[in-house]
Amino acid sequence: KHGKPKQDFVPITLTARITSEWYRQDIDVTISLVGLDGQELAKRSWEDETFGNDTGTTFGGRSKFLNVEAKIPRQEWDRWIAEEGSPTIKILLDVQGQESDD
């Protein structure tokens, strides 16, 4: 979602919903927003974020919403609106635990 465009930038919130059906996993997550020229516009990381079902119900699943706030340069925003291209969203996940747990 985005806020009201300003002269120099547009404030946005990028939200990723991550769901796991496994029972309580600790995951390192990094979310990046990359512009049309390959420049990283925003990045946020979480370490040992717990996902999954903690209710005791097998395969119950549980989601978490992770937010990245950014101020997109107005020139980049205008290129998106003119449909010159779309930004890239990169989500890197690393499940914590022993190798035998993979």
Side-chain angles (χ1 to χ4, degrees):
K1 69 181 180 178
H2 67 85
K4 183 178 179 181
K6 310 289 186 208
Q7 184 175 356
D8 297 334
F9 67 90
V10 178
I12 69 164
T13 302
L14 173 64
T15 303
R17 176 182 175 194
I18 303 193
T19 302
S20 177
E21 293 182 355
W22 288 95
Y23 180 77
R24 296 186 56 87
Q25 294 176 302
D26 288 329
I27 299 175
D28 292 344
V29 182
T30 299
I31 301 175
S32 302
L33 179 65
V34 180
L36 301 181
D37 61 0
Q39 178 185 359
E40 192 171 76
L41 301 171
K43 180 178 181 179
R44 184 166 176 201
S45 297
W46 295 261
E47 290 187 18
D48 293 326
E49 196 67 29
T50 301
F51 293 87
N53 177 12
D54 59 0
T55 64
T57 306
T58 304
F59 300 112
R62 191 178 97 196
S63 298
K64 253 190 191 174
F65 294 90
L66 302 177
N67 296 311
V68 178
E69 304 286 334
K71 291 182 178 179
I72 304 303
R74 184 60 189 256
Q75 184 178 11
E76 177 81 9
W77 177 263
D78 290 343
R79 292 177 66 195
W80 298 353
I81 297 301
E83 297 183 6
E84 289 182 32
S86 298
T88 301
I89 299 169
K90 293 182 180 180
I91 301 174
L92 301 174
L93 299 172
D94 183 24
V95 178
Q96 301 301 302
Q98 299 176 5
E99 287 185 31
S100 62
D101 292 342
D102 292 342

